[in-house]
Amino acid sequence: MKHKFNVVIIGGGVIGCAIARELSRFQIKTAVLEKEPDVGMETSCRNSGVLHSGINYKAGTLRAKLAVRGNAMMDEICAELKVKIKRIGKLTTALSLDEMGGIDRLMKQGAANSVPGLELLDRTAMQQIQPGVEGIAAIWSPSSAIISPYGLTIALAENAHANGVGFFLKCEAASVAKNAEGLFEVRSSDGEIFEAEVLINAAGLGSGKISAMAGVPAGNNGESLKIWPCRGEYYVLDRRLEGTLKTLIYPVPGAKDAGLGIHLTPTVDGNILIGPSADYIPEESPEDYKVTAPVLEDLRREGQKLLSDIKMSDFIRNFAGCRPKRTSPSEGGNGDFIIEEANSLSGFINLVGIESPGLTSAPAIAEMVRDLVSNHLPLDEKKDFIAERPGFAGHFCELPKEEQERLVKEYPEYGEIICRCEKITKKEIRDAIENPLGARSLVSIKYRARNGMGRCQGGFCTPRIVRMLRDEYGFAPEDYLLREAGSSLFSGNVREGEND
Amino acid sequence: MIREFHDLVIIGGGPAGLAAAAAAKEAGCRDILLIERDRVLGGILNQCIHDGFGLHAFKEALSGPEYADRFIQKVRALEIPVMERTIVLELSPDKVLRTSREGEIKEIEAKAVVLAMGCRERTRGALSIPGHRPAGVYTAGTVQNLVNLENIMPGKRVVILGSGDIGLIMARRLTLEGAKVEAVFEVLPYSSGLQRNIQQCLDDYNIPLFLSTTVTDIYGPSGSLEGVTVAQVDESRRPIAGTERYIPCDTLLLSVGLIPENELTREAGIEMNGVTQGANVDDCCMTATPGVFACGNVLHVHDLVDFVSMEAARAGKNAALYAAGKLERAQRAIAVTAGDGVRYVVPQRITRGEDISLAFRVTAPARDKTIEVRCGERVIMTRKETRLHPAEMVWVELGTINLDEISSLEVSVR
């Protein structure tokens, strides 16, 4: 089947979804093609969930400019889209005198990047922000914040969807070509054809491949568009430790480091993350999200060094994500984002190497891409653009008690708890199951409702949700997916014809 | 905010809560509320369709639902009010509960509370098993629920990590339903399940049990489990290089321990025990917070439900007395401690001294040992045992003891 759009975006990560939402303000038809059964399933859901201030990026780079701009845009976006954000600030700490050079360099860089509110703190001032923190001095960057990265991605996508963007899930681009009329034709692996005037490559880990597929092997300045996947592993700690970290604490990064170093990050939902590690993995399998024994051991040790109160029972889960880096293991460090319309292919907008601070930069990248799109399409604003997403930010159990009691009368299912650890209600599970994108895997429900993210890791809620999907949504055993297309949960019924 | 008042509120309608409720009513408590979060009473027994329950309590081999039903009938006959599909969101130290069910959130103030919330399973995350995180990795109890209550089969080729009782039971259950159970692997040099379950669930079905062996890698790059790597471990439980072998499978069951579910207990600020992961209690099953009692798997993980019922009856009776103002204030508290060869003892203190029974677990398997209960150098009781095992709880009955003559108790195995 042939689908006609003005703009097609390949990739439903936070970047693709932010662009989709930005373009949905205008009277054009936009589609997002995502190879997974939901948006935000790769890099966008597998990171620290930190909005960076912008001090870490070389002045004049896109990373510096877009991080500072994107960070500043987030409060309004989160308010509109009902996404939890906490401006907890960050201390970049110097442990000894020889790290003061690094502090000085970052302060200057931050000033050059117009990062708001930077202060150089001495030991006493550091202690006031985070009692017990190590170090002799620190940079305080108050605009640093935490956010749910998948929560933001889903919110952007659902709002874009409400404003008419077409989301095609489980839709992997197999070929890209321009047809006789000069329109792009993207063919999916199951034979669908998407036609568009403008094609946007926001494929993250797959962006190098998509660019090559489109016949654009290099950037406009001859840069390599090869993606070097660099895996980061994390631990998730129990909410028992909620509140022990008042702010983000990072070491001064070395210039050659692939990431910002192993650190502790509180999440908006009250967990703490330890990580990420940084290990380059073979480029043929950029989505190999396994965790490894030596790295886990490292993370446990580093974590316990940073926070001595961590007990073995606090490690409730681990996961891994992957940075789509432009720099090879031998180069180290980071390359700048590539965000440009290819000189050699009119209407093909390439976004390559959007690693950290991609999450922070997403809304600013979306504006930049919008301006590139406007060279090809008239962007007239819609009169009926819906800026707000319905509902409330966060979870029912976080609402004030009076508000809970009022809502439970209006929606009785707010009274029924499905996930005991995180106190997630049946109404929230139902809203997640009935999400507008039609994503129905257990992880899709979990990323929306937060069930199964507590200390029992779904032991309690999984059978309840399985039952709900069967009884109320007609699921057969083969319909249950954990996450991706191949992740079938069950082999069948125990006995046929015995469901009652 | 709606606020109700009750003499006694019991949190949890599993075997512990049911027995506590019945005993409380029989002890004269007329205003009891039993709160259950599921649709029906019975707790975890509802998914335990195998038999072997009640051998001590009823001298019969009952299935889990049959065992539960005995108590449910009793609770019905005693006309004890039950609030199903209700979860307790909060418990305050002064015994005010915040409950939630469809259409209603309310507060309940109680004179006495019995904690009977049971336990939950340890997960893969807690073990930090390396590898992918594909579909097909479950805790054994979750699969027991899916298979026995929801008619859902997880897979066809199964590996089980951990020789806890639920894993052993599920090895047999899945075999009976046509799955191939490749093996059970246990990281410890001995099994963590009951001996009778090893015999009846593994040996009788030729399912091998490998001790001192663990899963070192989970393989499932495309999203569903394809196999696991297992390896032998040394004395400090670290994998021994060169002993790895890969086993193709589509399901990995974890039966690696149970954890008392004490979120409410902790939030209420009730004194906890680091070893049992339950509250510290006295011989009335009362916690350090006056009027709050605990029993069953929320107090310490039991091996047999019969003993849960027995312990819960004690908690229920004393909670009823407390609510009626008839449980006299303790004049003193004698500490009960774990000595050589003993991991923990419940109760942790004795305040009344009547009809004392101590429950404990040993630290390692042992043969031909003597259990000794001492007060300082004075031996209070000894008992010879031919076989002791960490998987099996040991009970010692001391009868009534005079607290004036005893300053402390230590249980040891020599």
Side-chain angles (χ1 to χ4, degrees):
Chain A
M1 193 180 147
K2 193 177 244 185
H3 310 266
K4 289 181 182 246
F5 289 93
N6 299 110
V7 179
V8 162
I9 302 166
I10 299 178
V14 69
I15 303 299
C17 293
I19 295 168
R21 193 226 180 196
E22 182 58 30
L23 295 181
S24 75
R25 297 173 190 273
F26 306 102
Q27 297 174 36
I28 54 171
K29 282 183 73 190
T30 303
V32 174
L33 314 187
E34 168 54 51
K35 69 179 169 49
E36 296 300 323
D38 198 357
V39 296
M41 298 300 273
E42 310 283 355
T43 311
S44 302
C45 70
R46 302 164 174 281
N47 58 69
S48 302
V50 170
L51 300 181
H52 294 287
S53 67
I55 61 169
N56 289 104
Y57 319 114
K58 209 171 142 196
T61 60
L62 281 177
R63 293 170 85 216
K65 191 179 102 181
L66 296 170
V68 174
R69 166 81 185 143
N71 184 311
M73 295 169 75
M74 281 293 180
D75 288 315
E76 188 186 341
I77 288 172
C78 290
E80 284 176 347
L81 300 183
K82 312 294 188 293
V83 174
K84 261 201 290 185
I85 176 172
K86 292 184 183 166
R87 294 269 176 199
I88 61 171
K90 178 171 108 172
L91 293 170
T92 304
T93 61
L95 293 177
S96 61
L97 277 174
D98 32 309
E99 287 183 338
M100 287 308 290
I103 291 280
D104 189 48
R105 183 180 62 80
L106 288 179
M107 271 307 267
K108 289 197 178 113
Q109 192 165 273
N113 293 345
S114 306
V115 176
L118 291 183
E119 284 179 67
L120 187 60
L121 303 186
D122 62 13
R123 189 169 164 76
T124 316
M126 290 162 67
Q127 297 287 334
Q128 277 165 4
I129 292 171
Q130 176 71 50
V133 63
E134 296 288 327
I136 55 169
I139 300 173
W140 171 242
S141 51
S143 64
S144 302
I146 52 174
I147 193 169
S148 160
Y150 41 85
L152 176 65
T153 307
I154 289 166
L156 287 164
E158 291 189 358
N159 183 249
H161 182 271
N163 286 299
V165 172
F167 279 81
F168 296 83
L169 305 176
K170 291 183 265 184
C171 181
E172 183 168 8
S175 71
V176 172
K178 265 199 175 179
N179 65 17
E181 297 111 88
L183 297 173
F184 286 98
E185 264 190 22
V186 181
R187 216 170 267 268
S188 76
S189 47
D190 47 9
E192 303 283 304
I193 298 168
F194 298 85
E195 206 178 76
E197 285 111 298
V198 175
L199 180 62
I200 298 170
N201 171 17
L205 289 165
S207 57
K209 207 175 96 186
I210 295 290
S211 191
M213 196 185 275
V216 180
N220 289 345
N221 295 318
E223 307 95 327
S224 162
L225 299 182
K226 183 179 163 80
I227 294 293
W228 298 86
C230 181
R231 186 165 60 210
E233 300 178 30
Y234 289 89
Y235 262 111
V236 184
L237 298 182
D238 192 281
R239 278 201 290 113
R240 184 183 76 84
L241 298 160
E242 185 171 4
T244 44
L245 285 186
K246 314 285 180 212
T247 185
L248 296 158
I249 302 164
Y250 283 52
V252 178
K256 282 274 188 178
D257 292 352
L260 293 176
I262 292 174
H263 51 268
L264 301 175
T265 307
T267 74
V268 278
D269 290 310
N271 300 97
I272 290 175
L273 304 178
I274 308 176
S277 54
D279 296 288
Y280 282 90
I281 60 172
E283 52 184 287
E284 311 81 64
S285 52
E287 290 158 19
D288 188 343
Y289 298 120
K290 73 178 173 203
V291 290
T292 57
V295 172
L296 290 181
E297 198 176 322
D298 235 30
L299 293 180
R300 283 198 299 272
R301 197 181 45 240
E302 287 294 315
Q304 277 167 327
K305 214 160 36 174
L306 293 166
L307 187 62
S308 56
D309 192 28
I310 300 173
K311 295 180 187 161
M312 281 314 287
S313 58
D314 290 324
F315 297 96
I316 61 170
R317 181 162 178 98
N318 44 63
F319 68 94
C322 208
R323 307 166 180 85
K325 293 186 78 70
R326 286 190 47 234
T327 45
S328 69
S330 58
E331 290 166 289
N334 312 81
D336 200 10
F337 298 157
I338 289 183
I339 302 171
E340 62 191 16
E341 179 173 348
N343 283 343
S344 60
L345 187 61
S346 172
F348 182 67
I349 298 171
N350 232 346
L351 295 96
V352 180
I354 315 293
E355 55 154 316
S356 181
L359 179 68
T360 313
S361 306
I365 291 175
E367 285 183 335
M368 193 176 159
V369 170
R370 174 201 65 202
D371 292 345
L372 292 172
V373 171
S374 73
N375 296 331
H376 293 269
L377 295 164
L379 294 184
D380 300 317
E381 286 193 22
K382 282 178 191 160
K383 299 227 165 22
D384 54 353
F385 174 71
I386 308 158
E388 300 260 330
R389 195 160 159 254
F392 46 86
H395 310 288
F396 180 76
C397 63
E398 299 168 317
L399 294 174
K401 286 183 180 178
E402 302 71 41
E403 180 70 1
Q404 288 182 11
E405 281 149 30
R406 189 186 65 75
L407 276 172
V408 85
K409 288 192 191 103
E410 196 177 339
Y411 304 99
E413 285 186 344
Y414 276 130
E416 197 175 335
I417 304 286
I418 298 287
C419 164
R420 64 180 168 193
C421 301
E422 298 301 301
K423 297 183 177 138
I424 303 301
T425 67
K426 190 166 186 184
K427 171 80 166 82
E428 291 169 289
I429 302 286
R430 188 177 300 292
D431 290 345
I433 293 172
E434 296 178 359
N435 71 77
L437 302 182
R440 288 281 186 90
S441 74
L442 287 205
V443 165
S444 294
I445 298 169
K446 170 168 115 167
Y447 281 170
R448 285 165 175 81
R450 195 177 158 72
N451 56 287
M453 293 208 190
R455 50 188 70 126
C456 96
Q457 287 290 302
F460 182 81
C461 65
T462 299
R464 282 161 174 77
I465 293 169
V466 164
R467 189 161 64 216
M468 192 172 164
L469 287 169
R470 183 188 61 204
D471 296 349
E472 300 181 44
Y473 297 91
F475 271 45
E478 59 273 18
D479 296 334
Y480 294 92
L481 287 184
L482 176 63
R483 173 186 277 273
E484 53 267 76
S487 63
S488 202
L489 277 162
F490 309 124
S491 63
N493 283 325
V494 179
R495 311 282 167 86
E496 292 310 321
E498 287 191 16
N499 281 334
D500 42 64
Chain B
M1 169 62 84
I2 313 157
R3 196 178 257 212
E4 280 182 20
F5 298 87
H6 294 287
D7 284 349
L8 173 60
V9 172
I10 296 167
I11 308 174
L18 288 165
K25 183 85 184 199
E26 285 168 349
C29 187
R30 270 179 289 190
D31 179 16
I32 303 172
L33 178 64
L34 176 57
I35 299 177
E36 165 55 41
R37 65 186 173 196
D38 216 326
R39 297 169 294 178
V40 289
L41 292 170
I44 210 71
L45 287 171
N46 290 322
Q47 67 186 53
C48 299
I49 63 170
H50 54 284
D51 77 349
F53 301 92
L55 289 169
H56 293 257
F58 299 111
K59 311 291 176 217
E60 279 183 72
L62 304 172
S63 71
E66 285 170 336
Y67 185 95
D69 197 52
R70 300 255 168 133
F71 285 89
I72 294 169
Q73 295 306 332
K74 199 166 174 186
V75 162
R76 294 228 173 94
L78 290 166
E79 297 180 334
I80 297 168
V82 179
M83 201 156 74
E84 282 117 344
R85 299 179 79 150
T86 303
I87 206 152
V88 177
L89 296 172
E90 289 165 29
L91 170 67
S92 74
D94 51 351
K95 301 185 286 288
V96 178
L97 297 85
R98 191 159 183 266
T99 65
S100 181
R101 66 172 168 182
E102 192 172 299
E104 181 184 73
I105 297 175
K106 66 179 172 188
E107 281 185 2
I108 299 174
E109 201 176 319
K111 288 183 189 159
V113 172
V114 174
L115 306 174
M117 293 89 78
C119 60
R120 64 162 184 271
E121 297 180 281
R122 269 180 92 206
T123 66
R124 173 187 177 181
L127 298 181
S128 295
I129 307 173
H132 298 111
R133 291 167 303 287
V137 182
Y138 304 94
T139 55
T142 298
V143 166
Q144 188 178 46
N145 182 310
L146 291 170
V147 170
N148 292 347
L149 299 181
E150 306 303 340
N151 190 24
I152 282 174
M153 268 305 263
K156 294 178 173 143
R157 204 165 171 185
V158 183
V159 165
I160 300 179
L161 175 63
S163 58
D165 287 310
I166 313 172
L168 302 177
I169 296 286
M170 287 315 292
R172 175 176 65 184
R173 183 79 186 99
L174 291 171
T175 302
L176 289 173
E177 293 302 342
K180 168 84 178 121
V181 177
E182 298 289 344
V184 176
F185 297 98
E186 169 60 59
V187 73
L188 296 173
Y190 51 86
S191 148
S192 359
L194 294 174
Q195 194 53 44
R196 75 175 197 216
N197 283 335
I198 306 272
Q199 177 65 47
Q200 295 169 9
C201 300
L202 301 187
D203 297 352
D204 289 358
Y205 295 86
N206 295 318
I207 298 166
L209 168 64
F210 295 94
L211 300 174
S212 299
T213 308
T214 194
V215 172
T216 57
D217 191 45
I218 292 175
Y219 186 72
S222 60
S224 63
L225 181 63
E226 293 177 31
V228 297
T229 303
V230 298
Q232 289 169 28
V233 297
D234 62 20
E235 277 154 21
S236 53
R237 297 191 209 171
R238 297 188 68 90
I240 301 169
T243 64
E244 298 90 356
R245 76 186 156 108
Y246 179 79
I247 304 174
C249 60
D250 61 12
T251 307
L252 173 65
L253 290 199
L254 303 176
S255 182
V256 290
L258 300 170
I259 303 163
E261 187 142 24
N262 274 300
E263 277 62 30
L264 288 173
T265 323
R266 279 195 198 89
E267 282 164 24
I270 292 167
E271 181 191 297
M272 300 290 295
N273 185 289
V275 183
T276 59
Q277 300 191 63
N280 281 329
V281 292
D282 65 12
D283 48 330
C284 300
C285 291
M286 186 157 83
T287 67
T289 301
V292 180
F293 297 76
C295 56
N297 284 345
V298 80
L299 178 58
H300 57 135
V301 175
H302 290 60
D303 50 351
L304 297 178
V305 70
D306 308 57
F307 299 140
V308 168
S309 305
M310 199 173 81
E311 182 179 87
R314 182 183 289 255
K317 179 187 145 205
N318 285 303
L321 293 175
Y322 183 93
K326 290 180 189 160
L327 191 69
E328 282 170 33
R329 268 188 101 86
Q331 297 303 312
R332 71 199 74 189
I334 286 163
V336 185
T337 52
D340 290 345
V342 175
R343 206 160 73 83
Y344 71 79
V345 188
V346 172
Q348 288 82 3
R349 54 181 166 258
I350 293 174
T351 56
R352 305 297 190 299
E354 286 161 35
D355 187 22
I356 299 299
S357 60
L358 305 177
F360 71 90
R361 286 188 191 252
V362 294
T363 51
R367 285 189 179 278
D368 302 319
K369 293 277 180 185
T370 303
I371 298 169
E372 209 170 77
V373 182
R374 290 144 53 107
C375 169
E377 293 303 305
R378 185 152 57 100
V379 177
I380 308 286
M381 191 223 81
T382 60
R383 189 170 88 204
K384 291 211 181 305
E385 292 283 341
T386 51
R387 183 182 171 278
L388 289 165
H389 198 277
E392 291 170 20
M393 199 134 82
V394 190
W395 291 82
V396 173
E397 310 295 336
L398 294 183
T400 296
I401 57 176
N402 185 346
L403 298 193
D404 292 332
E405 295 169 5
I406 286 176
S407 54
S408 67
L409 286 178
E410 187 191 79
V411 182
S412 56
V413 170
R414 290 162 203 273

